[in-house]
Amino acid sequence: MASIRIFRAASRSFLLSNGQAVSRQLSTKSSSIKSRGALLVGSALGVSIAGYGLYKSKTNSAGKDLSKTVQAIFTPPTLSAAAPPASQPSVWSPGKDHALYLWIHVKPTASPREVAKVAAKLQKLVDAVVDPALKDEDDEVLAGVGFGPNFYAQVSGKTRKSYVYPYRKGSLGEMPSSGGDVFIHAKSNQISKLFELCQLFIKSLPKDSVESFEDIYSFVYQNGRDLSGFIDGTENRADDEGRQQVAVEKETGGSYVITQKWIHDFNVINNEKPKTMEAWVGRERGDSTEISKKSITSHVARMTGGNGFEQPKPVEIVRQSMPFGTVGKEAGLFFIGYAADPYNFEFMLDRMVGAGGDGHSDDIMRLSKNVKGTYWYFPSQSELAKLA
């Protein structure tokens, strides 16, 4: 009965993998499908029974060949939802204890294509810093590279969506448009590995191609809090699939990225009443519980589009922001977020400076100053490989 068992298993597999299509057909042509289905099953069963008789009269090897043939006939191709092209390692992966933010401006006289060739080989530089055969979760480096709109247009052409970062100004401060050509975001539990990667990348760029660069190294503070004491990244999706859905453009596998450098005013943070700062943020400082009655100017209200309790979020991003700096000089938050559409950033930034239609600015700007910002496009792995 081997052939019959094969046929039955194949039939069950076919119905399971194509159940949706069959149901759709049955809703409009049930009688026709039933008659054709009976004919198909009867004919197929006849083939299986004949195959069984032939199997008994031939050698075992011949029977095995027949079984494979019958199985091939009735086993449909595997159907699965198309996944987006692979994104770079930094895009939606979990955070590490430290991160490198390397912001590069290239000289106008430099060759964009030669610079892009180095950037496209970022993973090889990562492998030079951490041997892939010996790495573990403690010393691995997850890195990605992005490009400013003008630079990327010269080396690869247009992206599906425009990502130009405009200058903004509101009643509580400004958001400068700083530009930039190449940006590296790398994560590791070993800050020395990130420092080494930065050294190697800058050294690998064509001679005299860099006009200026800034390398910032971040750290985890008090188990995931911002230097203001508030918990950061509360609204991030917790699962890998969810973060990928939010961060990755499904058609390309690329991701749009915002980077901003914020310098905190510790005179305000250290001396303002906790309840006042909680009202500015819209969350309790201790456990990040959302305040039910909050001002329309609170940070939570500005980001969600209203001051209702647990207001539905019109847009989402994957936040990977972390604290940086020193006690003796400046310190604050390096804000970085990934999204499948740059509109998500536009919505948030407009509402922070009162350009969102109601004229209100974000109270979070009372305790921190934005000094630098722009957008980047992190191409998919396949898009990046074309630049090498």
Side-chain angles (χ1 to χ4, degrees):
M1 300 295 289
S3 298
I4 294 177
R5 286 197 299 271
I6 291 170
F7 165 73
R8 287 176 177 168
S11 299
R12 285 195 298 270
S13 174
F14 176 77
L15 290 174
L16 288 172
S17 61
N18 294 277
Q20 186 178 1
V22 171
S23 299
R24 192 181 301 116
Q25 292 170 348
L26 285 175
S27 65
T28 55
K29 297 182 180 180
S30 58
S31 60
S32 174
I33 292 298
K34 285 180 181 177
S35 60
R36 287 201 296 270
L39 178 60
L40 173 62
V41 172
S43 301
L45 184 58
V47 171
S48 295
I49 293 174
Y52 172 67
L54 184 61
Y55 168 80
K56 293 295 288 183
S57 63
K58 296 293 183 180
T59 63
N60 288 339
S61 60
K64 290 179 180 177
D65 290 341
L66 178 61
S67 297
K68 291 179 180 178
T69 301
V70 173
Q71 187 174 16
I73 291 173
F74 292 106
T75 301
T78 301
L79 300 177
S80 60
S87 54
Q88 295 186 62
S90 67
V91 175
W92 52 268
S93 55
K96 295 286 189 177
D97 290 347
H98 302 279
L100 161 68
Y101 312 110
L102 177 56
W103 197 316
I104 303 173
H105 289 263
V106 173
K107 288 183 178 180
T109 55
S111 167
R113 293 193 179 278
E114 292 303 313
V115 172
K117 285 181 180 180
V118 175
K121 297 176 182 178
L122 176 62
Q123 189 57 50
K124 291 185 178 180
L125 299 180
V126 170
D127 292 343
V129 172
V130 181
D131 188 338
L134 301 176
K135 70 179 180 181
D136 56 28
E137 290 187 0
D138 188 54
D139 66 357
E140 70 177 348
V141 174
L142 303 174
V145 59
F147 305 98
N150 293 335
F151 184 92
Y152 195 69
Q154 296 178 69
V155 299
S156 186
K158 292 184 178 180
T159 51
R160 291 179 64 87
K161 302 178 183 73
S162 173
Y163 62 108
V164 176
Y165 183 101
Y167 169 83
R168 291 176 169 88
K169 185 176 181 179
S171 60
L172 296 178
E174 63 177 358
M175 291 185 174
S177 177
S178 309
D181 299 301
V182 181
F183 183 82
I184 303 291
H185 177 207
K187 301 176 283 188
S188 178
N189 289 339
Q190 302 291 333
I191 194 170
S192 63
K193 301 294 184 183
L194 300 175
F195 187 88
E196 187 178 351
L197 176 62
C198 180
Q199 283 183 315
L200 187 56
F201 188 84
I202 294 296
K203 183 179 179 180
S204 300
L205 290 171
K207 185 178 180 180
D208 295 327
S209 62
V210 176
E211 184 173 86
S212 64
F213 73 89
E214 181 178 20
D215 53 323
I216 295 175
Y217 302 87
S218 64
F219 50 85
V220 173
Y221 178 72
Q222 293 186 353
N223 298 315
R225 293 181 183 272
D226 173 61
L227 297 180
S228 63
F230 288 90
I231 297 174
D232 189 42
T234 302
E235 294 297 321
N236 266 354
R237 296 276 189 100
D239 60 297
D240 289 350
E241 184 178 356
R243 291 196 301 274
Q244 184 178 16
Q245 181 182 355
V246 170
V248 180
E249 187 176 53
K250 63 181 181 179
E251 297 88 351
T252 64
S255 184
Y256 300 90
V257 178
I258 178 175
T259 57
Q260 291 181 319
K261 182 180 178 181
W262 290 82
I263 304 299
H264 287 359
D265 186 340
F266 290 99
N267 184 51
V268 173
I269 293 171
N270 294 332
N271 294 292
E272 188 58 75
K273 294 178 180 179
K275 286 295 183 182
T276 299
M277 287 197 294
E278 289 179 342
W280 290 346
V281 175
R283 292 187 182 277
E284 294 182 6
R285 200 175 192 180
D287 60 5
S288 200
T289 299
E290 182 178 341
I291 298 173
S292 57
K293 295 182 179 180
K294 52 189 169 294
S295 169
I296 193 64
T297 59
S298 68
H299 183 61
V300 171
R302 302 317 297 162
M303 295 300 94
T304 59
N307 62 343
F309 182 62
E310 296 184 347
Q311 177 93 10
K313 296 175 290 186
V315 297
E316 288 185 84
I317 66 174
V318 174
R319 292 170 171 81
Q320 300 203 36
S321 311
M322 295 181 74
F324 74 93
T326 66
V327 176
K329 294 185 179 180
E330 62 184 23
L333 180 76
F334 194 94
F335 183 82
I336 177 169
Y338 290 79
D341 191 328
Y343 167 78
N344 298 8
F345 308 136
E346 293 285 288
F347 174 86
M348 294 177 172
L349 298 188
D350 280 349
R351 290 187 59 78
M352 289 188 76
V353 296
D358 59 7
H360 297 297
S361 291
D362 194 327
D363 284 333
I364 202 75
M365 298 178 75
R366 297 180 185 277
L367 56 85
S368 193
K369 180 180 180 181
N370 181 216
V371 297
K372 195 173 185 179
T374 198
Y375 294 148
W376 314 89
Y377 178 68
F378 276 48
S380 66
Q381 292 186 27
S382 58
E383 290 176 319
L384 186 62
K386 294 177 182 177
L387 303 181

